[in-house]
Amino acid sequence: MVGPHLSLLSLSHGVEGPNQSHWSEPNWTAPQEFVILGFSGWPQGLRVLLFSLLLPLYLVTLAGNLLILSLALAEPTLHTPMYFFLGSLSAVEVAYTLVLTPQMLAGFLLPPGGQAVAPSTCAAQMGLFVALGGSECLLLAAMALDRYLAICYPLYYPQLMTTGLCWALLASCCLGGSVLALGLTTAIFQLPFCRGGLVNHVFCDLPAVLVLACGNRDLQEHVLLAACMLLLVLPLILILLSYTRVLVVILGVGDGAGRRKAFNTVASHLTVAVLHYGCATAMYARPLSSRSLEEDKLVSLIYINLTPLLYPAIYTLRNRDMQGALQRVVSQRTMGVVQQADLV
């Protein structure tokens, strides 16, 4: 199984230029399946060790984001725009984790030669990843807008950030990510692919699939870089400008306690934004000619496992409102259990 696939991989990478395949156009064939290599080429002992280490991280990440989402929904004191967006971000993170992490963990257990998937499955993986990642990028920008209005225009904030506007921003973020995912996935899968379909990644990531395409890939690569500009560079600039203005206002007004609370909130949001945009920019804001798929696969271990794990830790450890809500929920549950025991 490995030999034929590897020979096809070597042929598919033997190109005359960065964006042009050496295969003549009549020889271009659409693969009947894509083969996700994952980490199937790594030593078995190392794969088992990484699986054993990352599986608990996956469970903790999932539990942490579900906890934030549950508190944002159940605790009345958290029914504010900031926690509406925080709960929405956690919901996106839960979906993101469910889509990517099981696939990544399965990559440690794949047999030699990888796992074959249908082209439709590969396209679905790519589309879901882009849709969820794009929605998260836009949600972080919406959270920055919320903090900017709350701190810079506190008197007008209740009239500006209404429930209707919150839902409209959330819908716009999800719609924007979905439209971008549909456009990118369609553009890439319209290309003819060279013989074979070895995806040197843990899932059907955009660059890992795009390098398998035959013919001129300039349009698709330009579309990918333009999408990175729209989703990464522009929102990050807006976020940095918003939080810069917020920090100037914080340092100039209010008492010490109020400044500390506002500063901790902004610091948490800014830390998450830098982590998210930093990893995404390092992964996707580069031309294909400068990429190493093996390095991309290693970096994926960080943005699939560690970055989502840090979000609940940052938001819960640095947020007194979230800590207080958690303590109240735990106390209520404990009292309920005690009362039931007394009745028995």
Side-chain angles (χ1 to χ4, degrees):
M1 181 177 179
V2 180
H5 284 323
L6 291 179
S7 63
L8 290 173
L9 180 63
S10 62
L11 289 172
S12 66
H13 282 75
V15 294
E16 294 179 356
N19 291 318
Q20 185 72 33
S21 169
H22 79 291
W23 288 92
S24 61
E25 186 168 347
N27 289 330
W28 293 349
T29 59
Q32 298 301 311
E33 62 184 20
F34 288 90
V35 179
I36 299 176
L37 294 177
F39 302 97
S40 58
W42 290 19
Q44 184 176 5
L46 178 60
R47 289 189 285 129
V48 172
L49 175 62
L50 288 173
F51 178 86
S52 302
L53 292 175
L54 295 178
L55 178 60
L57 293 184
Y58 164 62
L59 297 176
V60 171
T61 300
L62 195 60
N65 281 297
L66 285 173
L67 176 63
I68 292 176
L69 177 59
S70 301
L71 290 175
L73 291 173
E75 181 61 32
T77 59
L78 300 183
H79 291 172
T80 62
M82 184 178 80
Y83 293 105
F84 172 85
F85 290 117
L86 180 54
S88 301
L89 182 65
S90 294
V92 172
E93 277 298 318
V94 168
Y96 181 89
T97 303
L98 290 174
V99 167
L100 289 186
T101 311
Q103 185 71 35
M104 182 273 302
L105 291 173
F108 292 113
L109 306 178
L110 291 178
Q115 179 185 24
V117 297
S120 59
T121 302
C122 188
Q125 287 182 3
M126 181 183 295
L128 285 172
F129 168 70
V130 176
L132 293 170
S135 300
E136 186 173 349
C137 286
L138 297 175
L139 266 174
L140 290 171
M143 293 173 71
L145 172 64
D146 172 66
R147 290 300 85 201
Y148 171 76
L149 293 177
I151 295 176
C152 298
Y153 300 96
L155 297 179
Y156 302 100
Y157 177 70
Q159 290 76 34
L160 293 173
M161 191 57 69
T162 62
T163 302
L165 180 59
C166 290
W167 281 105
L169 287 173
L170 176 60
S172 300
C173 293
C174 296
L175 180 62
S178 300
V179 169
L180 182 67
L182 180 61
L184 278 176
T185 305
T186 301
I188 289 177
F189 277 87
Q190 281 182 342
L191 285 168
F193 290 92
C194 299
R195 294 176 180 175
L198 290 181
V199 180
N200 190 15
H201 210 280
V202 297
F203 69 100
C204 287
D205 197 13
L206 287 87
V209 174
L210 189 54
V211 297
L212 301 177
C214 300
N216 193 318
R217 302 187 300 249
D218 284 341
L219 176 60
Q220 282 72 15
E221 187 170 355
H222 291 158
V223 169
L224 177 58
L225 292 176
C228 289
M229 288 289 294
L230 289 174
L231 279 183
L232 300 177
V233 178
L234 292 180
L236 182 58
I237 291 175
L238 293 176
I239 288 172
L240 292 177
L241 290 175
S242 297
Y243 284 138
T244 299
R245 174 61 180 163
V246 166
L247 289 175
V248 170
V249 172
I250 290 173
L251 295 176
V253 298
D255 57 7
R259 283 199 298 267
R260 282 194 298 272
K261 181 178 180 181
F263 183 81
N264 286 337
T265 301
V266 171
S268 299
H269 290 193
L270 193 57
T271 301
V272 169
V274 169
L275 285 172
H276 180 80
Y277 286 103
C279 288
T281 302
M283 280 295 297
Y284 299 105
R286 291 181 294 153
L288 291 177
S289 57
S290 66
R291 287 183 174 277
S292 167
L293 293 181
E294 286 295 330
E295 291 180 1
D296 286 356
K297 192 160 59 174
L298 289 174
V299 174
S300 72
L301 292 177
I302 297 175
Y303 73 77
I304 292 178
N305 295 283
L306 297 183
T307 305
L309 176 66
L310 292 176
Y311 292 173
I314 291 171
Y315 283 125
T316 54
L317 292 178
R318 296 182 61 90
N319 191 301
R320 292 184 178 179
D321 292 337
M322 191 67 69
Q323 293 172 2
L326 180 59
Q327 291 173 0
R328 285 191 295 273
V329 170
V330 172
S331 298
Q332 292 171 1
R333 293 291 178 87
T334 303
M335 290 177 61
V337 172
V338 172
Q339 290 174 357
Q340 289 180 357
D342 291 340
L343 291 175
V344 174

